[in-house]
């Protein structure tokens, strides 16, 4: 499971190997305050979203980094395709941009009603998700640049710490600050199942969600330091 760090302020980035704990690299953000980090499947490319409207693309092998001016206001969330070549970002300027990590070229743009708080992308960069601060929570077709569906829930002010496309992109998992994991159908945004994480403190958050395809189980990690596994059961 790859952890995500959202809604926090980061002044330095340190990369370790999960296999042996070895330090692989460290980078200072300087005067920039980072809001979110995403990493490619092989760990080679890292994207950091800054409050300065910029995004930093870091190559963990060469130790080189390139700064791109992507948005007009602070970047709140970033997501990467598996190969690290395509990024999806969300900003307080109300836009979510699909862009190339090679040269910063904007490939697609999506405008939401208010500031974009969280974005997600599938492995091959064909599907995306963006949620704003009020009631836009849209599944995106990144090939055509149009909205595919909207999460079918009549509640305002929903927050997600982490989300993930699973089951050959037919399903979509979300984890929230309210210790809740939800399973959605990508085709039409229907809520299929809901799980409540163990809460040890008054306010606990689900920080990461994952799906074990082989064992058909759901895995989550929470701010209470609890890892939980459930059987995959949807309507």
């Amino acid at each position: 499971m790859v952890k995500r760090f959202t809604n926090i302020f980061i002044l330095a980035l340190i990369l370790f190997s999960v296999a042996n704990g070895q330090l692989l690299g460290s980078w200072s953000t300087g005067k920039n305050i980072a809001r979110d980090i995403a990493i490619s499947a092989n760990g080679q490319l890292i994207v950091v979203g800054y409050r300065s409207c910029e995004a930093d693309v870091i190559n963990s092998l060469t130790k080189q980094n390139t700064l791109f001016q992507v948005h007009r206001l602070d970047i709140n969330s970033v997501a990467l395709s598996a190969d690290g070549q395509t990024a999806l970002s969300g900003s307080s300027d109300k836009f979510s941009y699909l862009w190339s990590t090679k040269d910063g070229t904007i490939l697609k743009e999506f405008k939401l009603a208010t500031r974009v708080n969280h974005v997600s992308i599938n492995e091959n960069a064909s599907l995306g998700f963006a949620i704003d601060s009020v009631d836009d929570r849209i599944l995106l077709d990144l090939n055509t640049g149009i909205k595919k569906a909207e999460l079918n829930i009549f509640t305002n002010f929903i927050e997600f710490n982490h989300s993930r496309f699973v089951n050959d992109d037919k399903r979509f998992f979300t984890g929230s600050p309210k210790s809740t994991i939800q399973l959605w159908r990508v085709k039409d945004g229907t809520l299929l199942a809901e799980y409540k994480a163990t809460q040890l403190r008054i306010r606990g958050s689900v920080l990461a969600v994952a799906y074990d395809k082989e064992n058909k189980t759901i895995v989550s990690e929470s701010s209470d330091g609890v890892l939980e596994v459930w059987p995959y059961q949807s309507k």
Side-chain angles (χ1 to χ4, degrees), residues 95-106:
F95 279 94
S96 178
Y97 290 141
L98 183 74
W99 51 280
S100 167
T101 59
K102 181 179 180 180
D103 55 16
T105 300
I106 304 297

Side-chain angles (χ1 to χ4, degrees), residues 6-7 35-36 74-78 90-92 115-118:
T6 57
N7 297 323
R35 294 299 306 273
D36 198 15
D74 48 314
I75 296 176
N76 300 317
S77 182
V78 290
S91 166
S92 294
R115 71 176 183 271
V116 183
N117 287 336
H118 174 75

Side-chain angles (χ1 to χ4, degrees), residues 182-202:
Q182 292 170 314
L183 174 65
W184 313 83
R185 187 164 57 208
V186 172
K187 180 180 179 180
D188 54 13
T190 298
L191 179 62
L192 299 176
E194 191 169 87
Y195 310 83
K196 197 70 174 178
T198 298
Q199 202 168 341
L200 303 180
R201 295 176 289 184
I202 295 177

Side-chain angles (χ1 to χ4, degrees), residues 1-2 18 24 81 85 88 106 111 125 146 180 207:
M1 182 183 298
V2 177
V18 177
L24 301 178
S81 59
Q85 300 303 304
L88 185 67
I106 304 297
K111 187 174 183 181
I146 63 175
T180 303
L207 299 181

Side-chain angles (χ1 to χ4, degrees), residues 34-233:
R35 294 299 306 273
D36 198 15
I37 301 172
I39 188 168
S40 62
N42 63 4
Q44 181 174 346
L45 284 181
I46 303 168
V47 169
V48 186
Y50 292 126
R51 289 185 66 183
S52 63
C53 326
E54 299 164 311
D56 210 357
V57 178
I58 300 171
N59 189 314
S60 65
L61 297 182
T62 65
K63 311 304 184 204
Q64 294 180 331
N65 68 293
T66 307
L67 200 63
F68 296 112
Q69 181 79 38
V70 181
H71 290 270
R72 293 184 297 104
L73 297 175
D74 48 314
I75 296 176
N76 300 317
S77 182
V78 290
L80 264 181
S81 59
D83 61 11
Q85 300 303 304
T86 311
L88 185 67
S89 56
S91 166
S92 294
D93 62 13
K94 304 180 184 179
F95 279 94
S96 178
Y97 290 141
L98 183 74
W99 51 280
S100 167
T101 59
K102 181 179 180 180
D103 55 16
T105 300
I106 304 297
L107 306 174
K108 295 286 189 307
E109 69 173 45
F110 306 91
K111 187 174 183 181
L112 281 71
T114 62
R115 71 176 183 271
V116 183
N117 287 336
H118 174 75
V119 295
S120 184
I121 195 172
N122 68 343
E123 290 188 354
N124 64 8
S126 63
L127 290 172
F129 172 78
I131 183 170
D132 75 356
S133 59
V134 182
D135 60 3
D136 271 353
R137 59 293 299 257
I138 53 178
L139 292 157
L140 308 167
D141 186 327
L142 300 180
N143 291 325
T144 63
I146 63 175
K147 182 174 76 172
K148 183 178 180 67
E150 188 158 356
L151 298 189
N152 188 15
I153 183 170
F154 301 101
T155 305
N156 290 336
F157 309 109
I158 297 177
E159 294 182 69
F160 294 142
N161 289 332
H162 189 219
S163 58
R164 184 186 296 269
F165 289 92
V166 300
N167 197 4
D168 299 321
D169 297 332
K170 295 177 182 177
R171 300 290 183 263
F172 183 63
F173 272 122
T174 58
S176 80
K178 295 184 178 180
S179 300
T180 303
I181 300 99
Q182 292 170 314
L183 174 65
W184 313 83
R185 187 164 57 208
V186 172
K187 180 180 179 180
D188 54 13
T190 298
L191 179 62
L192 299 176
E194 191 169 87
Y195 310 83
K196 197 70 174 178
T198 298
Q199 202 168 341
L200 303 180
R201 295 176 289 184
I202 295 177
R203 182 175 176 84
S205 295
V206 176
L207 299 181
V209 291
Y211 176 62
D212 184 340
K213 187 176 182 179
E214 181 178 352
N215 297 310
K216 294 185 178 180
T217 55
I218 301 161
V219 183
S220 73
E221 293 180 357
S222 75
S223 58
D224 289 328
V226 178
L227 184 145
E228 293 182 88
V229 180
W230 295 275
Y232 174 81
Q233 296 175 338

